[in-house]
Amino acid sequence: MILVTGGAGFIGANFVLDWLAQSDEALINLDKLTYAGNRENLATLAGDPRHIFVHGDIGDSQLTASLLAQYQPRAIVNFAAESHVDRSIHGPEDFIQTNIVGSFHLLEATRAYWGTLADPARQGFRFLHVSTDEVYGSLRSDEAAFSETHAYEPNSPYSASKAASDHLVRAYHHTYGLPVLTTNCSNNYGPYHFPEKLIPLMIVNALAGKALPVYGDGQQIRDWLYVKDHCTAIRRVLEAGRPGETYNVGGWNEQPNLDIVHTVCQLLDELHPRADGRPYREQITTVADRPGHDRRYAIDARKIENELGWKPAETFATGIRKTVLWYLENQKWVHNVQSGSYRDWVEKNYGEREK
Ligand code: NAD
Ligand code: DAU
């Protein structure tokens, strides 16, 4: 049994679905169901006894303590976070509460629980914290990609809050010996990505005939990784990572935002041409830049490759095609997110049986 937090969000849901597709080990999925949490992502698990969904907050120490005592998980994978940089600029407080205070309470509950375990469960226990490349700050075009020893220089309230949680996780290992692992991953894309982030927003807006808003000059560079490759990396680190270590995860795929948007437009031109026959790229508009916008991220993923033998299975070409196809085939999911009706999904699908 493992405990996953934030498993109704984009990466967490992909992780939960992959986990249960590959193993019969049950998991508890603790999620607060913020705007980003969507139980419809987990619809295929309805009635599956291996998936124990708990609606709750990682900052609720009583709840986490009782879940740990009841289910005695061998590991915790902490995805739960406020994750959208733009939202952190408009309203940082939720980011401080969940990413810093919430992670602290979860670590405290974990430390207390871990202290109750006897060997071999105590030795084998792992707390895996899912973090981001954004904690390292911005790279100049001539700088080497982020390695695990790169200094932390977070620039947004989001990245600062994730950096703080990474430091707490590190401190719980150093001070208390808690067997922690941290992964710092680049930009993910793929199924169930909430359509306020770049790639899903461009697909959804393009299909709706809306503008495709590119911030500033569109030359900001990100490294993009297909979400299922991130999930494989997390499973591999959980299985074989060395306690106390951090592992950078990336796709060796640096691209300027404008190129990403052009690729999405070209795929839509091919797979779902506009009714008027015009190219989707005509919908691209430039808008004001994000305040404090980081110019470039790049991940050096050699440590996880060399130590743990992990490599991404998808190239950007294969992953982005799968992603565009997924959005074309799942327009009902998009509609439910946009209309807000995904919030009622549990009510509609389970009635009073489960909430
Ligand atoms: P997301 O916003 O899609 O999902 C976050 C999930 O956490 C949601 O289901 C939400 O309901 C839940 N949650 C939020 N606050 C909570 C709380 N206090 N208690 C319990 N649950 C809570 O995020 P995502 O894109 O899936 O990212 C997951 C993790 O991976 C985050 O920690 C993020 O920092 C990290 N990450 C994301 C990316 C990316 O490209 N999306 C890249 C690297 C790292
Ligand atoms: O690098 C990993 C991070 O990637 C994760 O830690 C975050 O949780 C995740 O949200 C993501 O952050 P970004 O800010 O990079 O993602 P976003 O999709 O918001 O933006 C990607 C790039 O595209 C960024 O440079 C801003 C730009 N952008 C974004 C949007 C939404 C636009 O130009 N236009 C847009 O409308």
Side-chain angles (χ1 to χ4, degrees):
M1 172 81 76
I2 65 166
L3 169 65
V4 170
T5 72
F10 163 48
I11 305 174
N14 275 284
F15 181 85
V16 167
L17 292 170
D18 280 4
W19 182 272
L20 293 175
Q22 296 188 23
S23 105
D24 272 334
E25 185 175 11
L27 60 83
I28 315 144
N29 182 353
L30 172 64
D31 196 297
K32 189 177 172 184
L33 296 179
T34 66
Y35 78 94
N38 182 350
R39 292 223 34 207
E40 198 177 339
N41 298 350
L42 304 162
T44 53
L45 298 177
D48 188 331
R50 299 171 306 164
H51 179 234
I52 301 158
F53 185 82
V54 178
H55 183 190
D57 192 325
I58 56 165
D60 181 344
S61 313
Q62 268 190 333
L63 173 65
T64 50
S66 76
L67 289 175
L68 293 169
Q70 181 182 353
Y71 292 107
Q72 302 273 306
R74 69 171 177 92
I76 297 175
V77 184
N78 184 30
F79 291 97
E82 289 292 338
S83 72
H84 191 193
V85 175
D86 292 325
R87 285 183 187 248
S88 84
I89 294 167
H90 295 297
E93 187 158 355
D94 286 347
F95 290 73
I96 307 304
Q97 280 310 326
T98 284
N99 300 359
I100 306 179
V101 181
S103 296
F104 160 70
H105 285 301
L106 182 63
L107 280 164
E108 273 294 89
T110 304
R111 179 165 78 91
Y113 162 67
W114 181 65
T116 67
L117 298 177
D119 278 336
R122 184 179 163 84
Q123 281 285 326
F125 182 80
R126 296 289 182 269
F127 180 98
L128 191 155
H129 179 62
V130 180
S131 192
T132 170
D133 58 0
E134 301 208 7
V135 297
Y136 298 120
S138 189
L139 287 170
R140 290 190 315 270
S141 57
D142 60 345
E143 277 183 297
F146 301 129
S147 72
E148 288 78 1
T149 55
H150 197 97
Y152 271 35
E153 283 183 349
N155 289 320
S156 71
Y158 162 69
S159 54
S161 66
K162 289 296 291 187
S165 62
D166 292 8
H167 290 323
L168 283 170
V169 168
R170 177 191 156 87
Y172 272 63
H173 176 71
H174 192 80
T175 305
Y176 305 115
L178 191 69
V180 304
L181 299 154
T182 299
T183 52
N184 293 87
C185 188
S186 58
N187 282 62
N188 286 213
Y189 66 98
Y192 306 112
H193 205 179
F194 198 81
E196 65 181 7
K197 306 274 178 83
L198 180 72
I199 288 179
L201 182 78
M202 295 300 150
I203 300 171
V204 167
N205 275 12
L207 294 173
K210 293 185 182 166
L212 308 181
V214 172
Y215 297 166
D217 64 3
Q219 293 308 309
Q220 304 83 4
I221 292 173
R222 299 288 182 269
D223 169 74
W224 293 92
L225 181 70
Y226 191 61
V227 63
K228 288 185 189 304
D229 280 323
H230 187 192
C231 295
T232 316
I234 291 169
R235 280 205 307 276
R236 186 68 194 130
V237 171
L238 190 59
E239 191 176 66
R242 286 179 292 134
E245 293 292 316
T246 67
Y247 295 89
N248 283 357
V249 184
W252 299 108
N253 175 48
E254 282 184 61
Q255 291 200 48
N257 292 337
L258 199 54
D259 290 12
I260 297 286
V261 178
H262 284 156
T263 302
V264 167
C265 288
Q266 279 159 12
L267 279 166
L268 286 172
D269 288 340
E270 175 197 331
L271 299 167
H272 195 277
R274 263 171 54 159
D276 63 4
R278 312 283 309 168
Y280 281 100
R281 63 191 297 165
E282 287 184 358
Q283 290 167 231
I284 297 174
T285 50
T286 49
V287 297
D289 209 350
R290 170 185 281 174
H293 201 170
D294 283 337
R295 198 68 184 161
R296 174 177 168 238
Y297 304 139
I299 281 279
D300 179 341
R302 279 177 297 181
K303 180 174 172 182
I304 187 170
E305 288 182 9
N306 294 340
E307 264 190 32
L308 305 180
W310 173 87
K311 265 192 167 50
E314 301 290 344
T315 63
F316 188 68
T318 59
I320 192 68
R321 179 172 283 272
K322 283 184 181 176
T323 303
V324 171
L325 280 168
W326 188 88
Y327 279 87
L328 287 171
E329 285 159 9
N330 288 275
Q331 298 205 29
K332 175 90 176 123
W333 179 91
V334 173
H335 171 78
N336 287 347
V337 169
Q338 288 185 319
S339 70
S341 63
Y342 72 107
R343 317 289 320 241
D344 312 325
W345 191 84
V346 174
E347 196 75 38
K348 271 190 292 199
N349 286 273
Y350 294 91
E352 289 307 308
R353 279 190 294 129
E354 192 187 347
K355 279 189 188 155

